[in-house]
Amino acid sequence: MNTVLRAAWLFDGTADTLMPDPTVILDGGTITAVGTALPVPAGATVVDLGAATLLPGLVDTHVHLAFDASADPVGNLAARDDAEALTAMTAAARHAARGGVTTVRDLGDRGYGSLLVRAAAAADPTLPTVVAAGPPITSPGGHCHYLGGAVDGVDGVRAAVRERADRGVDVIKIMASGGNLTPGSLPEVSQFGPDELRAAVTEAHRLGLPVTAHAHGTQAVADALAAGVDGLEHVSFMSADGVDPIPDAVLAAIVGQRVAIGMTVGFVPVPGFAPPPAVLSRLPLMIAGLGRMHAAGAVMTAGTDAGIGPVKPHDVLRSAVAQLAQIGMTPAAALRAATSVAATTCGLGRRKGRLVPGYDADVLAVDGDPLRDPGALHRIRAVYVRGVALDGAALSR
């Protein structure tokens, strides 16, 4: 059965302006027509959303469904067995979809749980599409080692990539540097050298998989670029006592190689919770660095790191869009970073992130004009996940 959506405005995922008086026709899980004054197919269900704006379902390029957005996500995960963890991950994914995030890329789980959520989504339209990395490849005792992906040396890295390919992951995630969520791990310190990173990329590309690298420190960023990664997460250029200026050669490589930068943006205010002091003190310089990459023409997406704390619930991407103004993005560019650009980064650019014929029927309807008022993304009127409307009573507000 066809569903016909009508509204006041439409953002198609790429344009700088909104289309007035749109009609979007869905045939099951696929968009078949987009335009104005389109004829209604016989027997179609017509949904008039009034003054709402239609836009593509949002795409978060960096989430952790295994982390529960609590004050102690690591401890809570450790206390859950695999069945309990899967239940929590499924709930997190469902929360994302209710908030208009209809596609997520999970860049670090335990026990390949994200692949199970990905499979469940095929039969459950309340779940978003999941792009899954499995446990991130890390060093012994390194960042997120407790997720089970610790390996050592070139041979260990190659074997880890093969294991993930055999399991059926969509992307390889490797921790090129330490991080902030693991005691004893330092963000500015590299965890793998050039040889290990090159081995990961070579093996993954041989197996048809892209690689994205968690990289804070300047050396880790430079080594990952030289290895040929497809994406970089965080890219904060943190040093032991501050933030390094971005070297010109590194910036040129980021732009020239079209490496997708996953910005760690998006938070909701929660009383009593704030970023770690080491991050908070560096934040102005980190934002300036992101702004410099954007101004230089880097490919940039809003990868939120959803799940790692109370300020990052699994639907936090809606907040991230407004915050991208801090790095110089226009409202339209910010929306693209959370829709069409993000979908391309996830390998889904030919079916997600746009409202055009032939694409998946992932549709978000909000009250207001998100190009003038990013807060409109919090006023959700309807969410369609692969053509199925979510229960309006359950939508995030």
Side-chain angles (χ1 to χ4, degrees):
M1 295 291 291
N2 291 117
T3 300
V4 177
L5 304 181
R6 288 176 171 163
W9 302 98
L10 178 144
F11 173 73
D12 70 358
T14 62
D16 288 320
T17 59
L18 302 182
M19 173 193 295
D21 301 318
T23 300
V24 179
I25 300 177
L26 315 180
D27 184 357
T30 304
I31 299 169
T32 57
V34 178
T36 57
L38 297 179
V40 175
T45 298
V46 178
V47 180
D48 191 334
L49 293 162
T53 298
L54 305 178
L55 59 154
L58 305 180
V59 179
D60 196 331
T61 61
H62 190 153
V63 308
H64 295 282
L65 298 176
F67 293 149
D68 61 5
S70 69
D72 186 13
V74 176
N76 287 344
L77 175 60
R80 297 185 179 108
D81 63 24
D82 287 348
E84 292 167 335
L86 179 59
T87 297
M89 292 177 72
T90 304
R94 189 168 288 118
H95 182 80
R98 287 199 302 267
V101 185
T102 57
T103 302
V104 298
R105 185 171 67 162
D106 189 299
L107 290 183
D109 67 15
R110 186 189 73 188
Y112 297 92
S114 59
L115 276 69
L116 299 178
V117 182
R118 183 185 69 184
D124 185 346
T126 69
L127 296 175
T129 298
V130 177
V131 177
I137 300 173
T138 190
S139 58
H143 184 44
C144 289
H145 64 89
Y146 41 78
L147 295 177
V151 298
D152 192 20
V154 167
D155 290 341
V157 167
R158 286 199 187 104
V161 171
R162 288 195 296 271
E163 176 190 330
R164 283 152 182 74
D166 289 344
R167 293 273 194 154
V169 303
D170 303 297
V171 58
I172 298 296
K173 167 76 172 297
I174 188 165
M175 302 297 201
S177 78
N180 294 297
L181 205 62
T182 304
S185 172
L186 298 175
E188 68 272 16
V189 176
S190 296
Q191 294 192 165
F192 292 110
D195 291 343
E196 288 101 337
L197 292 173
R198 193 175 303 110
V201 172
T202 301
E203 191 70 2
H205 287 178
R206 183 182 72 82
L207 296 167
L209 292 171
V211 178
T212 193
H214 163 110
H216 281 288
T218 301
Q219 190 62 54
V221 173
D223 287 345
L225 286 167
V229 297
D230 305 281
L232 288 166
E233 308 302 315
H234 312 303
V235 203
S236 65
F237 296 96
M238 288 180 70
S239 64
D241 55 1
V243 175
D244 290 336
I246 304 175
D248 290 343
V250 170
L251 181 61
I254 288 171
V255 175
Q257 294 172 210
R258 307 305 291 160
V259 173
I261 303 298
M263 300 176 284
T264 313
V265 293
F267 66 89
V268 297
V270 177
F273 291 93
V279 173
L280 197 59
S281 64
R282 293 168 168 84
L283 202 53
L285 289 176
M286 290 162 61
I287 291 172
L290 293 174
R292 186 178 175 208
M293 287 186 275
H294 169 60
V299 178
M300 306 186 78
T301 67
T304 66
D305 228 358
I308 66 168
V311 301
K312 287 185 174 289
H314 289 92
D315 61 349
V316 73
L317 183 55
R318 288 177 291 142
S319 297
V321 172
Q323 293 157 14
L324 289 176
Q326 297 177 62
I327 70 164
M329 280 194 175
T330 65
L335 282 178
R336 287 192 288 269
T339 55
S340 58
V341 177
T344 298
T345 296
C346 292
L348 300 175
R350 295 187 177 183
R351 49 177 281 232
K352 302 281 188 183
R354 299 181 64 191
L355 296 183
V356 293
Y359 276 56
D360 289 357
D362 294 337
V363 184
L364 171 60
V366 301
D367 286 328
D369 178 352
L371 295 185
R372 296 183 178 182
D373 173 20
L377 294 178
H378 298 289
R379 299 190 293 272
I380 295 177
R381 177 75 67 86
V383 178
Y384 286 78
V385 179
R386 300 181 296 280
V388 177
L390 299 189
D391 179 3
L395 296 178
S396 298
R397 293 290 177 179

